[in-house]
Amino acid sequence: MGIVLCGILLRHPGVELSWVTSESFKGKKLSDVYPHLKGITDLICKEEDVPALAKTVDAVFMALPNGMSMELAPKALKAGASVIDLSADLRLKDAKVFEQWYKMPHKSPEILKDSVYGISELSDLKGAKVVANPGCYATASILALKPLIDNGLIDPETIVVDAKSGVSGAGKTLTDETHFPNCNEGVSAYKVATHRHTPEIEQALGADIKITFTPHLIPMTRGILATVYAKSRKAADEEKLTKVFRDFYKGKKFVRILEDRLPSTKYVYGTNYCDIAIKYDARTGRIIVISAIDNLMKGGSGQAVQNMNSMFGLSEGTGLDLVPVYP
Amino acid sequence: MGIVLCGILLRHPGVELSWVTSESFKGKKLSDVYPHLKGITDLICKEEDVPALAKTVDAVFMALPNGMSMELAPKALKAGASVIDLSADLRLKDAKVFEQWYKMPHKSPEILKDSVYGISELSDLKGAKVVANPGCYATASILALKPLIDNGLIDPETIVVDAKSGVSGAGKTLTDETHFPNCNEGVSAYKVATHRHTPEIEQALGADIKITFTPHLIPMTRGILATVYAKSRKAADEEKLTKVFRDFYKGKKFVRILEDRLPSTKYVYGTNYCDIAIKYDARTGRIIVISAIDNLMKGGSGQAVQNMNSMFGLSEGTGLDLVPVYP
Amino acid sequence: MGIVLCGILLRHPGVELSWVTSESFKGKKLSDVYPHLKGITDLICKEEDVPALAKTVDAVFMALPNGMSMELAPKALKAGASVIDLSADLRLKDAKVFEQWYKMPHKSPEILKDSVYGISELSDLKGAKVVANPGCYATASILALKPLIDNGLIDPETIVVDAKSGVSGAGKTLTDETHFPNCNEGVSAYKVATHRHTPEIEQALGADIKITFTPHLIPMTRGILATVYAKSRKAADEEKLTKVFRDFYKGKKFVRILEDRLPSTKYVYGTNYCDIAIKYDARTGRIIVISAIDNLMKGGSGQAVQNMNSMFGLSEGTGLDLVPVYP
Amino acid sequence: MGIVLCGILLRHPGVELSWVTSESFKGKKLSDVYPHLKGITDLICKEEDVPALAKTVDAVFMALPNGMSMELAPKALKAGASVIDLSADLRLKDAKVFEQWYKMPHKSPEILKDSVYGISELSDLKGAKVVANPGCYATASILALKPLIDNGLIDPETIVVDAKSGVSGAGKTLTDETHFPNCNEGVSAYKVATHRHTPEIEQALGADIKITFTPHLIPMTRGILATVYAKSRKAADEEKLTKVFRDFYKGKKFVRILEDRLPSTKYVYGTNYCDIAIKYDARTGRIIVISAIDNLMKGGSGQAVQNMNSMFGLSEGTGLDLVPVYP
């Protein structure tokens, strides 16, 4: 995820990327490690030394394994930098819930009340000093559900989120599940009812809501499609529901409410868009919302930059005006 | 689908494939049209003339567009052949339901009471003269739901089926949706709440059950993964639920109940297996059943041959003892 | 290809995209036809009327089937617009060679002497009024071969180009070859020794050179990898050969000469880069050059915009400063 | 590769698979490690103890890392079993050539003269006690070149083999190159002019022939397409060349010479076929032969079983009468 972030920041007109750190690659040119960046940057990976490095910049992005930024974020803040954290460390307001899902103690519970959970379209980020960037699945799910919840349109006990992700969501670590011959031509569910993005989604939806969340691995590189099911509180129709979403996301340029089409991850490839369509199953009284994002962009680095833009008073789309890679 | 069926029948030790018909390719060698069959068969595609052709054989498989076998099946039966029909024409017991979903009149409603809906594991096919071979999605969904329904374990008003299919499910017809550059790296839902396999599934589950069914197109060639959600009637646990499934499918060699793994379409590739795993989300009280099939085998031609085997008193696995193509 | 071009032009800081024409979609919003453009443009497809439309703009891009721009380009020029043509009509200097490979008469042979064949790095485009944008395979092949030819390093009678393309190279037209279930998990050669990009490559390499060119279709959407073989005139070494290429492309930002890596289409995905590596097989005396491009960018629309930039005196990279979509 | 072999042997009518060994999985059920085998076998992986185990069987297949079977094969032979070895250890007749390409000493050079290099169609295997099963690339290349060489049709100094392989050819080991997000939508060459299958091919073609061989990694699971180039000794035509191949492979059921089509790896998927087409480029005097195999079948386990059949006097196709998995 960090490398996608670097790519965006290197082209961002309001950003100078001063340094990157990497334990594995310290001393190496970033473009030797990631050859797609050849000719784009000559940055050399530094050793991680947040207290010193953070003094030299306005903002620090942290794309680290869970458990690390809870220690480093306070140091960066103390050094005067704002923090955008892409790990799970700062997302859950309740340290107990964090500990229950992540099976590790939370070492900086005091930072959680200041940290803003940053779904860009739903959060007040102006002037925020520390932002917890949401999980990829959480972004797709929350954007699909929030208009229904806030307008009281669904029975919150009936929510099911069935999400499909490209393999890049699993990260850089080599595993049997991400070995090409194993996952090509294969679809499977994983972490059924136990995926750690679940409590984030529930927290964003509001008090005591419990959802069933099932992630699936799909043989493609990028993209998440979330199919969200919930019982409508009353008979509904698709046009009105669509209008609710259009109104809810009015002026939010990265959320596109589709009317005559269903979303495809292909239509948002490589960009920060979230495409949403709303259907109603009159036979069963269920509302079905489908949202599509690029998991590495709106589901990760794109949203992180969108959040940074808002924190610093820039237009939310600065550096993100990309056209989806189609076909 | 017909071509996969030919492949199985050409290797079936109890079958002689006497003829194939094709409007598009009549007069051509089958192996010129489908070069993977070179050296395997010298059959030449005949013009369709069921009344005459059916007299020469014990059984006729029909893999035709909807609306055709309702006219041809009675003729084949009259000519003395048994019929295994892979279209939707003979699946729904109520011609009105057929007409409502398929938007065409049913011309042979009288055949519907004799036709057996052939999920091989659930149907009594011995001696049947005409079998309606189920839809691909329907097969995966019904096999996942039937043990729960028959044991009264779930609230039938809460059933949601979220299914993911490879592109071969869309057939041979060229469409924008199946054009490689459009569907590769793209996942999308389609026919949300309106897919025609829905009434088949409901009919198989029993009186008045209405489900929400959403199919998705996945960038792979073969395979269906169905993720099925329903509220448990009471607190449950995965081990007992798994035992229910194991007992239900005891002696059924093509249904494999997984215990320490979740199904992947990769593990059933090219074969007639249906892999099933059962999970329980204690937080929400939902049972989640996941089933995987090869949509062209157990979801189509494989099951058709399995059904033929049972109709003619052969062992159900004859001609189907294939090893999944892995990796 | 036209739609990728629109995407680039809509974000180009020196361009206002005034109109687009389409016979199939006239009267429709471009973003209804191509939903990935929703929120990016409100342009409506116009009817083609080049003589009138060309008067309103500085430049016209033509992305049409072969045989059309030979008639329209002269009209656009007469109306005062510069022309960048993406078809094959204006590429071959000798109308007879065109007619031999394209099996149609050339209706404007007089335009051929003014038209500049636009491999951006090799052509003098400043002030050009009409540019023939090269074929995708031709671009990858010529960039790999030209430094060897111009430096007299290889025996031109021994050149073999083995090229591998993603399926988007076949265009929007639906065919059996681009039907997902047919081409996924399949690699095949096509138009062996007869592909129409052959004479372009030969023309660019110089007098009387004849090459063997074999294109292959690969199960991916974008990208061309060309593997070029030729006998070295004398014993060689990779370092010196690499230096020849580095010198040859000095200052050309979109050609990246790799040293410790081999090119992958993945490293140039979605961008205008051409990555090249040079190897030497001392056992057989062959030089092997491998080049990778995004067939729709450097192999099509990207290079067209790069050419336009040079024609109008803009920096060649304007509007093309994209970071490869990786992973 | 071993697991594909197990799959074939488990269904082979003339074979009883007595045991399998695995260092990594000893004590585990094979079907727990490879869930696609659930219900097909209950075999438990044994510890490797060839001297004792080999006494219990007629033949031992060895699918081990290079360097191991040169020690184990003599022990198995001594214990009375025939050996089919899938590693490179026994392929090269000259131990020095082995040591040069594999960078390890050969510990059993004396076995090399007895070992038969087993391209099934080209080798006399009847009664052979030890067979070196060829490399995947070597199989595709040799089958494409041998008829030309044996008939003196080409200049052997002009041979170039450009081969494209699916990712399963890289084996089970997790690497950056086989991580799905890295290799999907990416094509690249590797080990240019240094791949270890080169000396096998040269040895099979005959004295002093040196070829240029370039392997490529393609984003698919299975399949190798080899495109072979060589200068014809005299003007040729495709029909006559095709007849040469047809005659050469007469009676060899797994080699299919195509006439109106070019091979695709898709047409041989999951089977032991090798499809070959021959083209002639009259402009340059080059013959181009294209061959397609399933790298894990004819390129590995399928050919190993075909070789075993011949060694033991069974019909060469026993246990291999599979229909290509299409689509």
Side-chain angles (χ1 to χ4, degrees):
Chain A
M1 187 138 41
I3 196 60
V4 174
L5 182 59
C6 288
I8 303 173
L9 294 174
L10 285 164
R11 292 301 193 222
H12 191 292
V15 167
E16 185 193 352
L17 183 56
S18 304
W19 44 263
V20 295
T21 71
S22 163
E23 283 312 288
S24 322
F25 303 121
K26 58 190 168 198
K28 290 199 178 172
K29 284 180 67 172
L30 194 60
S31 63
D32 284 344
V33 182
Y34 293 101
H36 69 291
L37 292 181
K38 190 176 166 77
I40 295 173
T41 178
D42 289 323
L43 276 176
I44 288 166
C45 299
K46 285 183 190 293
E47 191 160 7
E48 184 270 294
D49 178 4
V50 163
L53 288 168
K55 283 186 192 152
T56 67
V57 294
D58 296 312
V60 174
F61 289 86
M62 297 186 175
L64 298 163
N66 295 327
M68 295 187 66
S69 49
M70 64 173 76
E71 298 200 72
L72 294 174
K75 294 178 188 171
L77 287 168
K78 202 172 157 194
S82 296
V83 171
I84 300 103
D85 180 41
L86 285 88
S87 84
D89 284 16
L90 312 182
R91 292 179 191 159
L92 297 170
K93 292 296 160 196
D94 184 340
K96 286 215 190 66
V97 175
F98 177 87
E99 293 174 356
Q100 174 190 333
W101 287 83
Y102 288 86
K103 316 289 180 203
M104 61 170 85
H106 201 296
K107 294 176 184 161
S108 311
E110 66 288 352
I111 204 177
L112 298 177
K113 66 176 184 305
D114 296 326
S115 145
V116 181
Y117 184 75
I119 302 275
S120 318
E121 285 73 15
L122 305 176
S123 314
D124 184 8
L125 293 155
K126 185 124 198 221
K129 280 292 173 197
V130 52
V131 167
N133 213 57
C136 51
Y137 285 123
T139 299
S141 303
I142 293 166
L143 287 170
L145 277 163
K146 197 68 175 167
L148 297 175
I149 292 285
D150 281 16
N151 286 283
L153 294 171
I154 52 171
D155 174 356
E157 301 223 328
T158 62
I159 300 173
V160 170
V161 177
D162 187 293
K164 298 94 182 160
S165 175
V167 180
S168 67
K172 268 178 67 78
T173 310
L174 307 179
T175 64
D176 281 336
E177 286 70 30
T178 61
H179 188 53
F180 189 96
N182 292 351
C183 60
N184 192 40
E185 288 287 303
V187 178
S188 55
Y190 66 103
K191 291 187 187 158
V192 179
T194 60
H195 193 278
R196 290 162 165 186
H197 288 178
T198 310
E200 278 180 54
I201 302 169
E202 293 177 346
Q203 172 181 281
L205 297 183
D208 297 330
I209 290 180
K210 296 269 173 284
I211 67 162
T212 290
F213 174 73
T214 314
H216 297 77
L217 207 60
I218 299 293
M220 62 184 201
T221 298
R222 286 181 173 222
I224 284 178
L225 191 87
T227 312
V228 174
Y229 303 87
K231 283 266 187 184
S232 179
R233 282 202 192 278
K234 53 179 185 181
D237 77 67
E238 290 176 3
E239 257 184 65
K240 283 185 193 159
L241 288 169
T242 301
K243 187 170 181 321
V244 167
F245 275 72
R246 251 194 341 253
D247 292 347
F248 191 88
Y249 289 116
K250 194 167 186 172
K252 307 297 185 185
K253 66 179 291 183
F254 288 118
V255 177
R256 304 189 295 193
I257 307 302
L258 306 190
E259 276 158 53
D260 304 320
R261 292 245 185 192
L262 293 171
S264 164
T265 54
K266 188 72 189 160
Y267 299 143
V268 299
Y269 210 81
T271 69
N272 201 47
Y273 290 108
C274 176
D275 282 0
I276 297 178
I278 305 96
K279 304 298 280 182
Y280 180 63
D281 183 355
R283 298 169 65 255
T284 64
R286 270 190 200 90
I287 295 171
I288 303 150
V289 186
I290 300 161
S291 64
I293 60 171
D294 182 320
N295 60 310
L296 300 178
M297 293 294 293
K298 184 63 183 171
S301 299
Q303 183 155 264
V305 172
Q306 188 185 2
N307 285 338
M308 180 207 70
N309 286 339
S310 297
M311 291 164 80
F312 286 89
L314 300 171
S315 164
E316 67 171 342
T318 313
L320 293 168
D321 57 343
L322 298 157
V323 173
V325 177
Y326 177 89
Chain B
M1 186 138 41
I3 197 60
V4 174
L5 182 60
C6 287
I8 304 172
L9 294 176
L10 285 164
R11 291 301 192 221
H12 192 293
V15 167
E16 184 194 352
L17 182 56
S18 306
W19 44 262
V20 295
T21 71
S22 163
E23 284 310 290
S24 322
F25 303 120
K26 56 190 168 196
K28 290 198 177 173
K29 283 180 67 173
L30 193 61
S31 63
D32 284 343
V33 181
Y34 292 101
H36 70 290
L37 292 182
K38 190 177 166 75
I40 295 174
T41 179
D42 289 321
L43 276 176
I44 287 167
C45 300
K46 285 184 190 292
E47 191 161 6
E48 182 270 293
D49 179 5
V50 163
L53 289 168
K55 283 185 192 152
T56 67
V57 295
D58 295 312
V60 174
F61 288 87
M62 296 186 177
L64 297 163
N66 293 327
M68 295 186 67
S69 49
M70 63 174 77
E71 299 199 70
L72 294 175
K75 294 178 188 173
L77 288 168
K78 204 172 156 194
S82 296
V83 170
I84 300 105
D85 180 42
L86 284 88
S87 83
D89 284 17
L90 312 183
R91 292 178 192 159
L92 298 170
K93 290 295 162 199
D94 184 339
K96 287 216 188 66
V97 176
F98 176 87
E99 292 175 357
Q100 176 189 332
W101 286 84
Y102 288 87
K103 315 290 182 203
M104 61 171 85
H106 202 297
K107 293 179 186 160
S108 311
E110 67 287 353
I111 203 178
L112 297 178
K113 63 176 186 306
D114 296 325
S115 144
V116 181
Y117 185 76
I119 301 275
S120 319
E121 285 73 16
L122 305 176
S123 314
D124 184 6
L125 293 156
K126 186 126 197 218
K129 281 291 174 197
V130 52
V131 167
N133 213 57
C136 51
Y137 286 123
T139 299
S141 304
I142 293 166
L143 287 170
L145 277 162
K146 196 69 175 165
L148 297 175
I149 292 285
D150 281 16
N151 286 283
L153 295 171
I154 52 171
D155 174 355
E157 301 223 328
T158 63
I159 300 172
V160 169
V161 177
D162 186 291
K164 299 93 182 157
S165 174
V167 180
S168 65
K172 269 180 66 78
T173 310
L174 308 179
T175 64
D176 280 337
E177 286 69 30
T178 60
H179 188 54
F180 189 97
N182 292 352
C183 61
N184 192 39
E185 287 288 302
V187 178
S188 55
Y190 67 103
K191 293 190 188 156
V192 179
T194 60
H195 193 280
R196 290 163 167 186
H197 289 177
T198 311
E200 279 181 54
I201 303 170
E202 292 176 347
Q203 171 181 282
L205 297 183
D208 297 330
I209 290 181
K210 295 269 172 284
I211 67 163
T212 291
F213 173 72
T214 314
H216 297 76
L217 207 60
I218 299 294
M220 60 183 202
T221 298
R222 287 180 174 223
I224 284 178
L225 191 85
T227 312
V228 173
Y229 303 88
K231 283 267 187 184
S232 178
R233 284 203 192 275
K234 54 179 185 181
D237 77 64
E238 289 176 5
E239 257 184 66
K240 282 185 194 159
L241 288 169
T242 301
K243 187 172 182 317
V244 167
F245 275 72
R246 252 196 337 257
D247 292 347
F248 192 88
Y249 289 117
K250 194 166 185 173
K252 308 297 185 185
K253 65 179 292 183
F254 289 118
V255 177
R256 304 190 295 193
I257 308 302
L258 307 190
E259 276 159 53
D260 303 321
R261 293 248 183 189
L262 292 171
S264 165
T265 53
K266 188 72 189 158
Y267 299 143
V268 298
Y269 211 80
T271 68
N272 200 48
Y273 289 109
C274 176
D275 282 1
I276 297 178
I278 304 95
K279 305 298 279 184
Y280 180 64
D281 184 355
R283 299 169 63 256
T284 65
R286 269 189 201 90
I287 295 171
I288 302 150
V289 185
I290 300 161
S291 63
I293 59 170
D294 182 320
N295 59 309
L296 300 179
M297 294 294 293
K298 184 63 181 169
S301 299
Q303 182 155 263
V305 172
Q306 188 183 2
N307 285 338
M308 180 207 70
N309 288 338
S310 297
M311 290 163 81
F312 286 88
L314 301 171
S315 163
E316 65 171 344
T318 313
L320 293 168
D321 57 343
L322 298 156
V323 173
V325 177
Y326 176 91
Chain C
M1 184 136 46
I3 197 59
V4 174
L5 181 61
C6 288
I8 303 172
L9 294 175
L10 285 164
R11 292 300 193 222
H12 191 292
V15 167
E16 184 194 352
L17 181 57
S18 304
W19 44 262
V20 295
T21 70
S22 163
E23 283 310 289
S24 321
F25 303 122
K26 59 191 167 198
K28 288 198 179 173
K29 285 180 67 172
L30 194 60
S31 63
D32 283 345
V33 181
Y34 292 102
H36 69 290
L37 293 182
K38 191 178 165 77
I40 294 174
T41 178
D42 290 322
L43 276 176
I44 287 166
C45 300
K46 284 185 192 292
E47 192 161 5
E48 183 270 294
D49 178 5
V50 164
L53 288 168
K55 284 186 191 152
T56 66
V57 295
D58 296 311
V60 174
F61 289 86
M62 296 186 177
L64 297 163
N66 293 328
M68 295 187 66
S69 48
M70 63 172 79
E71 299 201 68
L72 294 174
K75 293 179 189 172
L77 287 168
K78 200 171 158 192
S82 297
V83 170
I84 299 103
D85 180 41
L86 286 88
S87 83
D89 285 14
L90 313 182
R91 291 179 192 160
L92 298 170
K93 291 295 161 198
D94 184 341
K96 286 215 189 69
V97 176
F98 177 87
E99 292 175 358
Q100 175 189 335
W101 286 84
Y102 288 88
K103 316 287 181 206
M104 61 172 85
H106 201 297
K107 294 179 185 158
S108 311
E110 67 287 354
I111 204 177
L112 297 178
K113 66 176 184 303
D114 297 325
S115 146
V116 182
Y117 185 75
I119 300 275
S120 319
E121 286 73 15
L122 304 177
S123 315
D124 184 8
L125 293 155
K126 188 131 195 215
K129 281 292 172 196
V130 52
V131 168
N133 214 58
C136 50
Y137 284 122
T139 298
S141 303
I142 294 166
L143 287 169
L145 277 163
K146 195 70 175 164
L148 297 176
I149 292 285
D150 281 15
N151 286 282
L153 295 171
I154 52 171
D155 173 356
E157 301 224 330
T158 63
I159 301 172
V160 170
V161 177
D162 187 293
K164 299 93 183 158
S165 174
V167 181
S168 66
K172 271 179 65 79
T173 310
L174 307 179
T175 64
D176 280 337
E177 286 69 30
T178 61
H179 188 54
F180 189 97
N182 292 352
C183 60
N184 193 39
E185 288 287 302
V187 178
S188 55
Y190 67 103
K191 293 188 188 159
V192 178
T194 60
H195 193 280
R196 291 164 165 185
H197 289 178
T198 310
E200 279 182 54
I201 302 170
E202 293 177 344
Q203 171 181 281
L205 297 184
D208 297 330
I209 292 180
K210 295 271 173 284
I211 66 164
T212 291
F213 174 72
T214 314
H216 297 77
L217 206 60
I218 299 294
M220 61 184 202
T221 298
R222 287 183 174 221
I224 284 177
L225 191 85
T227 312
V228 173
Y229 303 87
K231 282 264 186 185
S232 180
R233 282 203 194 274
K234 53 180 186 181
D237 78 64
E238 289 177 3
E239 256 183 66
K240 282 185 194 158
L241 289 169
T242 301
K243 188 172 179 317
V244 168
F245 275 73
R246 252 196 339 254
D247 292 346
F248 191 88
Y249 290 116
K250 194 167 185 172
K252 308 297 185 185
K253 65 180 292 183
F254 289 118
V255 177
R256 305 189 296 193
I257 308 303
L258 307 190
E259 276 158 52
D260 304 320
R261 292 245 184 192
L262 293 171
S264 165
T265 55
K266 188 72 189 159
Y267 298 144
V268 299
Y269 210 81
T271 69
N272 200 49
Y273 290 109
C274 175
D275 283 1
I276 297 179
I278 304 94
K279 305 298 279 184
Y280 181 63
D281 184 355
R283 298 170 65 257
T284 64
R286 272 191 198 88
I287 295 172
I288 302 150
V289 186
I290 300 160
S291 64
I293 59 171
D294 182 320
N295 60 309
L296 300 179
M297 294 294 291
K298 185 63 180 169
S301 300
Q303 182 155 264
V305 172
Q306 188 184 0
N307 285 339
M308 180 207 70
N309 288 339
S310 297
M311 291 163 81
F312 286 89
L314 301 172
S315 162
E316 66 170 345
T318 314
L320 293 168
D321 58 342
L322 298 157
V323 173
V325 177
Y326 177 90
Chain D
M1 187 137 41
I3 197 59
V4 174
L5 182 60
C6 288
I8 303 172
L9 294 175
L10 285 163
R11 292 301 192 222
H12 192 292
V15 167
E16 184 193 353
L17 182 57
S18 303
W19 44 262
V20 295
T21 71
S22 163
E23 283 311 288
S24 322
F25 304 120
K26 58 190 167 197
K28 289 197 179 173
K29 284 180 66 172
L30 193 61
S31 63
D32 283 345
V33 181
Y34 294 101
H36 69 291
L37 292 182
K38 191 176 165 81
I40 295 173
T41 178
D42 289 323
L43 276 175
I44 288 166
C45 299
K46 285 186 190 290
E47 191 160 7
E48 184 270 296
D49 179 4
V50 163
L53 288 169
K55 284 185 192 153
T56 67
V57 294
D58 297 310
V60 174
F61 288 87
M62 297 188 176
L64 296 163
N66 294 327
M68 295 187 67
S69 49
M70 63 174 77
E71 300 201 67
L72 295 174
K75 295 179 187 171
L77 287 168
K78 201 172 159 194
S82 297
V83 170
I84 299 106
D85 180 40
L86 287 86
S87 83
D89 284 17
L90 311 182
R91 292 179 192 159
L92 298 170
K93 291 295 162 199
D94 184 339
K96 286 216 189 67
V97 175
F98 177 87
E99 292 175 357
Q100 175 189 333
W101 287 84
Y102 288 87
K103 316 289 180 203
M104 61 170 85
H106 201 295
K107 294 179 184 159
S108 310
E110 66 288 355
I111 204 177
L112 298 178
K113 65 176 184 307
D114 297 325
S115 145
V116 181
Y117 185 74
I119 301 276
S120 319
E121 284 74 15
L122 305 176
S123 316
D124 183 9
L125 294 154
K126 187 128 195 216
K129 281 291 174 197
V130 53
V131 168
N133 213 57
C136 50
Y137 285 122
T139 300
S141 304
I142 294 166
L143 287 170
L145 278 163
K146 196 68 176 165
L148 297 176
I149 292 285
D150 281 15
N151 286 283
L153 295 172
I154 53 171
D155 173 356
E157 300 224 330
T158 63
I159 300 173
V160 170
V161 178
D162 187 294
K164 300 92 182 158
S165 174
V167 181
S168 66
K172 270 180 65 80
T173 309
L174 306 179
T175 65
D176 281 336
E177 287 69 30
T178 60
H179 189 53
F180 188 97
N182 293 352
C183 59
N184 193 39
E185 288 287 301
V187 178
S188 55
Y190 67 103
K191 293 189 188 156
V192 178
T194 60
H195 193 279
R196 291 164 166 185
H197 289 177
T198 311
E200 277 181 54
I201 302 170
E202 293 176 345
Q203 171 181 282
L205 297 184
D208 297 329
I209 291 180
K210 294 270 173 284
I211 66 163
T212 291
F213 173 72
T214 314
H216 297 77
L217 207 60
I218 299 294
M220 60 184 203
T221 297
R222 286 181 174 222
I224 283 178
L225 191 85
T227 312
V228 174
Y229 302 88
K231 284 264 187 185
S232 180
R233 283 203 193 274
K234 52 179 186 180
D237 77 64
E238 291 177 2
E239 255 183 66
K240 282 184 194 159
L241 290 169
T242 302
K243 185 167 182 322
V244 167
F245 275 72
R246 252 197 336 255
D247 291 347
F248 192 88
Y249 290 116
K250 194 165 185 173
K252 307 298 184 184
K253 66 180 290 184
F254 288 119
V255 177
R256 303 189 296 192
I257 308 302
L258 306 191
E259 277 158 52
D260 304 320
R261 294 244 184 190
L262 292 170
S264 165
T265 54
K266 189 71 189 162
Y267 299 143
V268 299
Y269 211 81
T271 69
N272 200 49
Y273 290 109
C274 175
D275 282 0
I276 297 180
I278 304 96
K279 305 298 280 183
Y280 180 63
D281 184 356
R283 299 170 64 255
T284 65
R286 270 190 200 89
I287 295 171
I288 302 149
V289 185
I290 301 160
S291 64
I293 59 171
D294 182 320
N295 60 310
L296 301 178
M297 295 293 293
K298 184 63 182 170
S301 300
Q303 183 155 262
V305 172
Q306 187 184 1
N307 285 338
M308 180 206 72
N309 288 339
S310 297
M311 292 163 80
F312 286 89
L314 301 172
S315 164
E316 66 171 344
T318 313
L320 294 167
D321 57 343
L322 297 156
V323 174
V325 177
Y326 177 89

